Amino acid sequence: MDPSDCPTQRIDLRSDTVTVPTERMRRAMYEAEVGDDVYGEDPTVNRLEETAAQILGKEAALFLCSGTMGNQVAVLTHVGRGDEVIVEQDAHVYYYEVGGIAGLAGAQVRTVRGCRGVPLADDVASAVRVQNVHFPRTKLLCLENTHNRAGGTVMTPQQTADLSAVAHARGVKVHLDGARLFNAAVALGVPAARLAAPVDSVQICLSKGLCCPAGSILGGAADFIAQARRQRKAVGGGLRQAGFLAAPGLIAMTEMVDRLAEDHARARALAGALADLPGVTIDLSTVQTNIVCFEVGDAARWVSRLAAAGVLSNAMGPRTVRLVTHKDIDDVALERAVDALRTVSKAAAATTANAPAGALER
Ligand code: TLP
């Protein structure tokens, strides 16, 4: 889809989940060799899982329907009922996964604050419970790279290693939500395996910036993945001829990673334009990958005005708007998005100027 083909085409910056598969992916789906994956007989899924394990530097990997399923199956495999999971307070696994840690695993969450999505090692250390008959057992620390709600910020290999070391020294396992791990890898110029090396399990999404129509990967030790395969079945994620999805997934991991740098450059351009607009506050240092978060007076109103101007966005809070660049946003679409942002900024400034005192304080 090229938004420049049609002047009225909407520019969809809500998420990189809206990307559609490439021609090569569509052909690979058509031609995929398939079998029943619940019997372990889908050759394309087997190839995807072997390739993913290699790329992530883990013994084994498992193909799942979605990032949410990958994270929740990881939690289900690591923890038991009544155990405690430490998460950064805005982590996707806690914030956006329908209470799955409680509802599916029967575990409870202990949150720690993060700086750009990265918790402090000392805070993690103090959040781990000591042995006491009153306390739950701390079983898992969940990290996120890149961090969605922090604005697509990256966690370095050193930060990942330090936090994992704190957890491991206390007998706590570490799961990494790497829905956008390849964005972090490209931004930092390091292999994804290096970012995943310190953790016990890692989830990556194939269906975001990498354009696969669906699917995620969970990587870890062979015995962990064997247990996770059982949990995937329990939540209804045992698919049959899943090779039709694994085929584009292979292309996603092997051919679509390097181009993420283009999305990052466009996100920086978008952020630079936003920084000049009245009524917009943006911390440019958070724009490290393909997500741009900025503050305005009324996020919901900005989102609806942007939509009226042909640009789709998401409100992440009462004052925060999120834009996400991806493969289907080219330079022409970017320019149109910037024009729309300028228009909305002017309209918002006019509204604020005319509003009676206190009208925006709801
Ligand atoms: N994030 C989506 C929404 O759920 C908010 C988005 O548009 O960004 N981990 C992270 C860090 C994610 O950002 C997401 C999706 C997931 C997990 C879940 O992936 P899916 O949507 O495949 O279940």
Side-chain angles (χ1 to χ4, degrees), residues 12-344:
D12 196 343
L13 294 167
R14 284 173 302 171
S15 183
D16 45 10
T17 57
V18 303
T19 45
V20 294
T22 62
E23 281 305 312
R24 269 183 55 67
M25 287 178 167
R26 288 165 194 262
R27 216 166 322 126
M29 290 170 84
Y30 183 78
E31 289 166 1
E33 199 189 335
V34 296
D36 189 331
D37 182 47
V38 174
Y39 290 104
E41 289 172 4
D42 189 304
T44 313
V45 172
N46 293 342
R47 200 146 50 86
L48 175 75
E49 290 178 346
E50 281 157 25
T51 308
Q54 260 171 28
I55 290 174
L56 293 172
K58 297 295 181 197
E59 275 175 14
L62 180 68
F63 181 53
L64 305 104
C65 303
S66 67
T68 301
M69 186 183 275
N71 284 340
Q72 293 301 327
V73 163
V75 173
L76 272 166
T77 310
H78 281 299
V79 314
R81 296 186 67 77
D83 287 340
E84 196 161 68
V85 180
I86 301 175
V87 302
E88 192 277 333
Q89 64 183 8
D90 271 338
H92 194 284
V93 67
Y94 164 64
Y95 201 98
Y96 287 121
E97 297 187 11
V98 206
I101 295 179
L104 298 173
Q108 71 179 31
V109 157
R110 190 165 203 195
T111 58
V112 288
R113 266 186 305 179
C115 175
R116 301 205 173 135
V118 183
L120 290 177
D122 281 351
D123 290 347
V124 171
S126 350
V128 176
R129 305 282 189 158
V130 294
Q131 266 195 26
N132 181 305
V133 71
H134 300 89
F135 292 164
R137 290 173 305 175
T138 309
K139 278 295 181 67
L140 184 65
L141 166 68
C142 290
L143 302 174
E144 188 173 315
N145 197 10
T146 64
H147 196 287
N148 186 342
R149 285 186 60 81
T153 48
V154 302
M155 183 162 51
T156 64
Q158 191 59 54
Q159 288 170 321
T160 316
D162 290 348
L163 288 163
S164 301
V166 165
H168 289 153
R170 290 157 180 81
V172 174
K173 299 281 188 195
V174 183
H175 171 67
L176 176 62
D177 176 353
R180 297 185 180 84
L181 191 68
F182 291 110
N183 292 87
V186 165
L188 290 163
V190 300
R194 193 153 157 232
L195 294 168
V199 303
D200 301 285
S201 60
V202 54
Q203 182 274 121
I204 55 158
C205 285
L206 305 172
S207 62
K208 302 206 161 44
L210 305 183
C211 309
C212 189
S216 276
I217 297 285
L218 184 61
D223 57 345
F224 171 84
I225 292 299
Q227 289 308 312
R229 199 175 286 280
R230 290 179 58 79
Q231 297 296 348
R232 182 188 69 173
K233 191 78 181 78
V235 297
L239 298 179
R240 302 298 178 173
Q241 286 72 37
F244 288 120
L245 292 172
L250 274 160
I251 295 176
M253 278 191 308
T254 55
E255 295 178 23
M256 302 298 286
V257 170
D258 292 345
R259 64 152 308 286
L260 294 174
E262 293 173 32
D263 300 342
H264 299 179
R266 292 197 176 100
R268 280 195 301 275
L270 209 46
L274 277 160
D276 291 336
L277 298 184
V280 169
T281 306
I282 181 164
D283 178 353
L284 291 177
S285 69
T286 64
V287 185
Q288 300 173 1
T289 55
N290 67 329
I291 298 182
V292 180
C293 286
F294 59 98
E295 305 288 311
V296 293
D298 184 336
R301 190 174 289 177
W302 264 72
V303 169
S304 65
R305 281 180 169 157
L306 278 171
V311 174
L312 302 187
S313 61
N314 260 320
M316 301 294 273
R319 288 173 187 272
T320 310
V321 179
R322 186 186 78 164
L323 306 173
V324 186
T325 55
H326 52 77
K327 175 189 69 70
D328 298 330
I329 298 297
D330 61 10
D331 287 336
V332 177
L334 192 81
E335 206 38 60
R336 287 217 194 106
V338 169
D339 286 346
L341 287 162
R342 285 195 187 113
T343 308
V344 172

